[in-house]
Amino acid sequence: MSHQPFAAIILAAGQGTRMRSSRAKVLHALAGRPMIAHVGAAVGALAPGRIVVVTAKGMDQVAAAVPGAVAAVQDPPLGTGHAVLAAKPALQGFDGDVMVLFGDTPLVTTATMQAMLDARTKGAAVVVLGFRPKDPAAYGRLVVGPGGLERIVEFKDAKPEERAIGLCNAGVMLLEGAHAFALLEAIRNDNAQREYYLTDVVGIARARGLACAVVEGDAEEVLGVDSRAALAGAEAILQRRLRAAAMAGGVTMIDPATVYLSHDTRLGRDVVIEPNVFFGPGVSIGDDVVIRAFSHLEKATVANGATIGPFARLRPGTVLGEEAHIGNFVEVKAATVEAGAKVNHLTYIGDARVGPKANVGAGTITCNYDGFGKYHTDIGAGAFIGSNTALVAPVKVGDDAIVGAGSTVTEDVPPGALTVVRGGKTEVQGGAERFRAKARARKAAQQKKG
Ligand code: UD1
């Protein structure tokens, strides 16, 4: 991809009241990251000279959600044209082109942005992203004449014949650097909404003899998010894209529609994912891994050939070695389960290391927390932990040691030792019948009284 230098300005000063949220609209997450971070990543792939995020006052976290972006404050917000001008101080010393994006339009692809840069290279001073929605509703309409794009008319200002136009403004715009701020400064607010419309730059540019062009994107890509329902709609589109990319990369999904991926999920070749699996952010899976149904993974690294689930939970800090097995109803947190180790049933492994080829029996718990601090458990290579064992951290089980079932281990177990820590046995011959006889007599006496 080649293009002229450009800066990206992401508009995000809108309040997003229809989200009914105490959080800024553009910070609501899609595929595990704020929607504005998707915009930043898509444009970031084109290496813009600068990224400026325009917010209203008191929205400091918004710009922070876009890596490498600088913040500009628009106070008060007086329209999209006014918002772009608010970024001017942040662009001091930069004289490349200017791409305007909306923080609440998170699905625009890098390829579409590249197509806009290509249209600029061909000579247009202003390039607008257009689309043809099924229902053009209240979008701005693109008026195209014999000489190309002539102007954009906002729905509220449009005459009936303009409202009949099907080609609409998606909001993304690319302006030639040499003209950008002169055009923006010429915008007036003599319109139905008393706002400074960014869209007016097209008419102004044409009046100055500059060429304007339209690049058409698909309606799905330019979906704007202004409600929780639209957020869910955008998530569905993004998930479809992520699943398609995963399958194209060699992943089998038995029922793709039930698998939820994160924007950064990394999956190796020949990974098999059964239905109803959820990936939070920060998961990296090697080759030939099987993830069985109803598993939940976040911030976890899994090496080649491991198997996970069904019904497994890998929490942040989990590292699984090659061929490790994590079975049903097993939770792992901040722990390394090394190559070939097996933790197959009903177990909690937290703040721990499970050495290579160790076997952890059903119902084992690493007791890592005493209400104040977190403590580490270390299980050595080849160790065998019997079922229903409580390992009270900090504690170490040496290599090849065996811990008998039902033990509560509070002291280190030396390598190769066999340790059993249980209460002593009491056995009374015939005691069961004597117990029942006494109990029956007691109950009969109570019934008589009552
Ligand atoms: C805008 C376009 C319209 C287009 C539509 C696509 C204008 C005048 N109209 O209309 O042609 O069809 O998007 O969705 O540009 N914002 C600010 N500061 C402001 C106003 C808005 O930062 O003062 C930001 C908002 O946070 C949002 C974006 O700009 O991210 C678009 O604003 P919005 O009010 O949604 O524009 P529309 O009226 O939908």
Side-chain angles (χ1 to χ4, degrees):
M1 290 192 195
S2 71
H3 54 76
Q4 63 285 13
F6 76 101
I9 301 176
I10 306 176
L11 304 190
Q15 294 302 320
T17 46
R18 288 181 58 203
M19 294 296 279
R20 304 209 189 292
S21 174
S22 49
R23 199 180 333 156
K25 173 169 72 172
V26 295
L27 293 182
H28 284 262
L30 290 170
R33 72 175 165 193
M35 71 172 98
I36 195 169
H38 287 270
V39 180
V43 75
L46 295 166
R50 284 183 206 177
I51 303 181
V52 184
V53 173
V54 178
T55 67
K57 229 166 67 178
M59 291 168 77
D60 303 341
Q61 290 166 310
V62 169
V66 179
V70 294
V73 175
Q74 183 197 17
D75 181 29
L78 299 176
T80 49
H82 179 253
V84 179
L85 275 174
K88 192 178 173 184
L91 291 181
Q92 282 298 322
F94 182 85
D95 57 6
D97 291 348
V98 173
M99 185 182 286
V100 182
L101 300 152
F102 290 172
D104 61 2
T105 306
L107 304 177
V108 179
T109 61
T110 303
T112 296
M113 295 174 191
Q114 175 69 52
M116 296 183 70
L117 291 164
D118 294 344
R120 257 286 299 124
T121 314
K122 287 182 196 137
V126 179
V127 182
V128 172
L129 180 61
F131 71 115
R132 295 178 190 275
K134 274 201 198 90
D135 173 15
Y139 289 110
R141 304 299 206 265
L142 302 187
V143 181
V144 180
L149 181 62
E150 287 177 351
R151 62 200 163 84
I152 304 177
V153 55
E154 287 304 291
F155 179 77
K156 286 193 177 140
D157 301 287
K159 300 188 190 88
E161 62 273 22
E162 290 166 334
R163 289 185 176 184
I165 296 171
L167 184 59
C168 294
N169 176 31
V172 183
M173 197 181 278
L174 181 63
L175 301 161
E176 181 176 353
H179 303 291
F181 287 102
L183 296 174
L184 289 160
E185 276 154 7
I187 295 172
R188 296 288 166 262
N189 68 345
D190 47 354
N191 53 51
Q193 301 184 83
R194 295 268 152 240
E195 280 185 13
Y196 294 87
Y197 293 160
L198 170 64
T199 44
D200 282 355
V201 294
V202 173
I204 298 167
R206 284 301 297 260
R208 296 180 183 191
L210 300 169
C212 301
V214 183
V215 165
E216 276 196 47
D218 70 58
E220 202 173 77
E221 191 179 345
V222 302
L223 176 82
V225 175
D226 63 355
S227 65
R228 306 276 180 163
L231 185 71
E235 180 79 52
I237 294 166
L238 209 47
Q239 289 298 334
R240 275 209 305 276
R241 282 186 193 170
L242 291 167
R243 292 171 195 135
M247 289 187 282
V251 171
T252 294
M253 293 185 186
I254 296 170
D255 187 3
T258 67
V259 174
Y260 287 83
L261 297 162
S262 197
H263 66 98
D264 60 351
T265 306
R266 297 214 321 250
L267 300 165
R269 282 169 81 97
D270 292 311
V271 168
V272 175
I273 305 175
E274 293 184 357
N276 295 298
V277 173
F278 185 92
F279 292 88
V283 176
S284 175
I285 305 283
D287 298 336
D288 301 304
V289 171
V290 178
I291 305 172
R292 299 199 189 285
F294 296 98
S295 293
H296 188 286
L297 301 83
E298 57 184 322
K299 291 198 178 76
T301 303
V302 177
N304 298 348
T307 67
I308 299 158
F311 298 99
R313 177 156 186 221
L314 304 188
R315 290 175 53 204
T318 296
V319 177
L320 303 187
E322 289 198 5
E323 312 272 334
H325 287 206
I326 298 297
N328 37 241
F329 304 106
V330 171
E331 174 180 343
V332 185
K333 185 221 70 167
T336 301
V337 178
E338 295 185 353
K342 291 182 181 165
V343 188
N344 272 334
H345 330 268
L346 303 156
T347 288
Y348 173 63
I349 299 290
D351 301 298
R353 177 188 80 106
V354 178
K357 291 212 162 14
N359 191 314
V360 177
T364 296
I365 305 290
T366 54
C367 309
N368 60 330
Y369 184 52
D370 61 2
F372 297 93
K374 298 278 171 71
Y375 308 96
H376 194 261
T377 299
D378 192 273
I379 298 173
F384 182 95
I385 311 296
S387 296
N388 199 28
T389 291
L391 297 163
V392 183
V395 73
K396 238 179 161 164
V397 177
D399 292 352
D400 299 312
I402 296 177
V403 176
S407 293
T408 298
V409 180
T410 57
E411 286 166 17
D412 290 356
V413 179
L418 168 70
T419 300
V420 186
V421 197
R422 297 178 193 145
K425 185 173 102 168
T426 307
E427 191 173 281
V428 182
Q429 292 297 323
E433 190 39 41
R434 282 204 295 283
F435 172 85
R436 287 193 199 100
K438 252 198 227 163
R440 264 188 231 111
R442 197 167 47 240
K443 199 166 177 190
Q446 276 167 354
Q447 278 168 349
K448 223 171 163 187
K449 260 205 228 159

